[in-house]
Amino acid sequence: MTVIYPASYTKPAADEPLTHSRIAHSENWLSGGTVSVSTTATGFYADAPTNTLTYELWKPSALPAVWSYVHTTEADVDYMCIAAHTLGSTGCNISVDYSTDGSSWTEVIGSISIPNDEPIFAIFAPVTADYFRLNITGSVAPTIGVIKFGKALQMQRPIYGGHSPVRTARQTILRSNYSETGEYLGRSKQRTYHQTQFDWQNLSAVWVGTHWPTLQRAVEAEPFWIAWRPERVQLTTSQNPDDWVVYGGVWSDAGVWYDSATWQDSATPIDAYGVRYHDVSFGVTDAVPVPSNQGVRDLMSVSLSVRSRGYD
């Protein structure tokens, strides 16, 4: 569950704090454009990452590799999300660029080593463009199932407590075999996925009326990404992901702790154990989230249950 920022990222003044969830869904990501790639291995598809069917994959036949998306018109974009990939296990680095003419490119995410195969939510200051590309370097070609660019939904309120980070909310369906006398004969693992619930309170009725109907339509149709609390993690070209504290979020480099809310050094870990669960989910819901009135002023609450794709 990886959130990535540019090294120089500064939160736009109008944005919600980075303690608030970001959601990438089919009503706010770009679609309908065209794809071009540097190479594609036999049996894989260049345009596979434009849909959310995670069994269809793109794999370059050589590295470095480039996956480019050209939108139908210029659009505001502040994220790139990736799911169903092997960028971590193949030891790859990625970077992200945009362009308004397809020839002059501006980097928004510098080269970053991806530490694992968990979903990626890259956040950067908003840009207006119609050309976007993902650059991949390494020695072993990865596979990628989904790539999306868009402008994220920013939740009006944070989640105050009671949330189970999806990384630890592992659900495994097992089938054990026993003999007639109870001897253990082995076990098969049928399926592994992650499941958790997001609960928001004190959302204003105006905010819900403006933003929630599009989210409801989106989750009915497609999987989506949620970055639970994206405020405390930073990857840069100079820091090694191996220096992260376990589970990411708050991390150290040579014993110096960093808080990405301010990008300032801190003498001590941000929380008591030096660990903040860092949570990005790519999944689906089987129940459309329906907000309800709290009975206090014009405030509303809503829950969203997410079954996230497994990655191991």
Side-chain angles (χ1 to χ4, degrees), residues 7 85 87-88 96 119 121 140 146 155 159 163 171 220 228 238 268 273 283 311:
H85 66 88
L87 290 163
V96 181
F121 206 124
V140 178
V146 191
M155 291 301 298
I159 295 176
H163 175 71
Q171 307 290 318
E220 290 175 5
W228 165 37
S238 62
T268 57
Y273 301 99
Y311 49 82

Side-chain angles (χ1 to χ4, degrees), residues 45-150:
Y45 308 93
D47 62 350
T50 60
N51 65 53
T52 53
L53 302 176
T54 56
Y55 63 87
E56 293 184 346
L57 304 170
W58 170 63
K59 180 181 181 180
S61 58
L63 294 178
V66 178
W67 189 90
S68 299
Y69 174 81
V70 183
H71 197 47
T72 54
T73 186
E74 289 190 354
D76 294 335
V77 170
D78 65 2
Y79 74 75
M80 181 206 65
C81 288
I82 300 176
H85 66 88
T86 58
L87 290 163
S89 57
T90 53
C92 288
N93 284 33
I94 67 168
S95 62
V96 181
D97 307 325
Y98 75 92
S99 173
T100 57
D101 58 13
S103 59
S104 299
W105 294 87
T106 300
E107 183 179 86
V108 289
I109 301 287
S111 181
I112 292 174
S113 176
I114 302 302
N116 51 50
D117 294 339
E118 301 169 6
I120 295 171
F121 206 124
I123 297 173
F124 44 86
V127 301
T128 302
D130 46 356
Y131 293 82
F132 304 91
R133 70 184 184 188
L134 170 69
N135 309 295
I136 304 170
T137 58
S139 57
V140 178
T143 58
I144 300 179
V146 191
I147 304 171
K148 295 294 184 182
F149 294 88

Side-chain angles (χ1 to χ4, degrees), residues 228-269:
W228 165 37
R229 291 176 64 92
E231 90 283 20
R232 287 177 177 153
V233 70
Q234 182 185 25
L235 287 174
T236 74
T237 56
S238 62
Q239 277 85 36
N240 186 334
D242 292 338
D243 293 334
W244 292 8
V245 174
V246 132
Y247 299 122
V250 179
W251 59 277
S252 72
D253 182 40
V256 178
W257 294 85
Y258 295 84
D259 177 352
S260 69
T262 60
W263 309 131
Q264 299 295 315
D265 295 3
S266 176
T268 57

